[in-house]
Amino acid sequence: MMTDTRTGDPICSVPETATGKKDMPDVAASDTADVCGVLDWVGMSGIALPVNIEDSLHGKVLCQARVSTCVSLDDAEAKGIHMSRLYLLLESFFSENALSCQSVQALLQAQLHSHKTLSQHARLVFEFDLMQKRPALKSGYEGWKSYPVKLDISLSSGCQPALIDLSVTVPYSSTCPCSASLSRQLTEEAMRKSFDGKETLSMAEISQWLLSAQGSFATPHSQRSMARVTVRLSQKQNSLPVTALINQIEDALQTPVQTAVKREDEQEFARLNGHNLMFCEDAARRIRASLNTDSHYQDFCLKVEHQESLHAHDAVAIASKGLPGGLRHQE
């Protein structure tokens, strides 16, 4: 046995493999757990990865994703999983494949195969911002909007296919119906006071008053609002309906926030808000009604949040498809 010439202590030699490389110790494989027990998930989160998304409307869209990859640890005595295997599978897979319902199932199966003696369940979570170019309401200008997206995909050994939950966050504008009603009452009272004593009014007088500063005697409160929607995708799909879901939510609400805005766009935005007054309850019901008519979604849940300009707190409403044991929004 070799000894350290400085101390005289023995040096443990490490055998070399046939390739000449040292056979390095693998504690995760050779040791057992100090405290035994199964674990729900073990893996890595926050992995930076460029991923092509197979979008149902726009085809392949390159996104900078933050990825979590993990498997269950079902061997109660195993020290740990093989994390490098999960990372290398992820890196290799997306160097050649786009993210779709079918492709990600193959990746999850590969994760389970790489841990077949340890794990029965595999999971992948992708988070990214989808950039969309949106036209102005009237002027013809365009601007970019960013929509946060999350894909949560899981597969259990012996179960097909994978469960795929798609979540999007969509900003919109909301104008309070109660505030609008109270504002109209104040404006009507101000108009009566301005023309007190006059039996009749001409159209010109009414128009002049409405177009003056007095015509804005009171205005309802509006606020930027957020809809956070999660849908469970149909097993028949391949491409991901990310843009389609965003469009569906904006169409249901009718008051999307804007990017490039000229005066004609701002006026049209004001018109849309005036014709779509809504409490948070109204917004949640609009989205739920739209999702209920779409066969692409097995299940869904949602939360709308009106970030109040009247209060220092927010107004929220939560809804779901209502299936027994189905998706529910987690606070």
Side-chain angles (χ1 to χ4, degrees), residues 286-298:
R286 284 189 179 196
I287 299 170
R288 182 176 63 184
S290 177
L291 295 176
N292 266 327
T293 65
D294 199 317
S295 62
H296 291 101
Y297 313 134
Q298 294 181 346

Side-chain angles (χ1 to χ4, degrees), residues 4-206:
D4 189 318
T5 56
R6 297 168 299 171
T7 65
D9 295 330
I11 299 175
C12 296
S13 61
V14 179
E16 294 189 350
T17 63
T19 60
K21 294 183 179 179
K22 292 181 179 179
D23 187 8
M24 303 179 73
D26 184 358
V27 174
S30 62
D31 291 13
T32 57
D34 299 327
V35 178
C36 295
V38 300
L39 298 173
D40 293 346
W41 299 111
V42 184
M44 294 164 284
S45 64
I47 299 171
L49 191 70
V51 176
N52 276 303
I53 309 300
E54 191 68 54
D55 185 74
S56 60
L57 293 183
H58 298 305
K60 289 184 175 62
V61 180
L62 182 62
C63 298
Q64 179 60 47
R66 300 168 300 282
V67 186
S68 296
T69 176
C70 53
V71 292
S72 60
L73 183 52
D74 298 306
D75 184 339
E77 295 184 354
K79 185 73 171 176
I81 69 165
H82 308 289
M83 291 198 184
S84 62
R85 295 181 187 178
L86 296 182
Y87 183 90
L88 293 174
L89 278 171
L90 191 68
E91 177 72 27
S92 173
F93 187 87
F94 286 106
S95 67
E96 301 178 359
N97 299 279
L99 176 59
S100 70
C101 295
Q102 300 301 319
S103 70
V104 77
Q105 183 157 296
L107 176 55
L108 286 167
Q109 289 171 337
Q111 286 188 189
L112 286 176
H113 183 73
S114 72
H115 287 73
K116 58 186 177 182
T117 61
L118 300 176
S119 306
Q120 297 295 314
H121 311 281
R123 185 182 181 195
L124 286 162
V125 179
F126 299 84
E127 294 180 273
F128 55 90
D129 292 331
L130 183 69
M131 298 294 294
Q132 293 277 288
K133 203 163 196 180
R134 297 301 208 188
L137 293 170
K138 288 286 188 180
S139 65
Y141 288 97
E142 292 182 318
W144 290 95
K145 287 171 70 174
S146 176
Y147 298 90
V149 178
K150 180 179 178 181
L151 277 161
D152 193 332
I153 310 148
S154 59
L155 180 69
S156 296
S157 181
C159 296
Q160 300 292 337
L163 293 178
I164 303 178
D165 293 337
L166 166 64
S167 303
V168 298
T169 299
V170 177
Y172 63 100
S173 176
S174 61
T175 301
C176 175
C178 180
S179 181
S181 177
L182 295 171
S183 298
R184 289 194 299 270
Q185 183 185 53
L186 287 175
T187 301
E188 186 270 344
E189 290 174 356
M191 187 174 183
R192 282 183 178 275
K193 186 175 181 180
S194 294
F195 295 106
D196 186 34
K198 295 199 70 170
E199 293 293 331
T200 59
L201 295 173
S202 67
M203 287 297 296
E205 287 176 306
I206 296 172

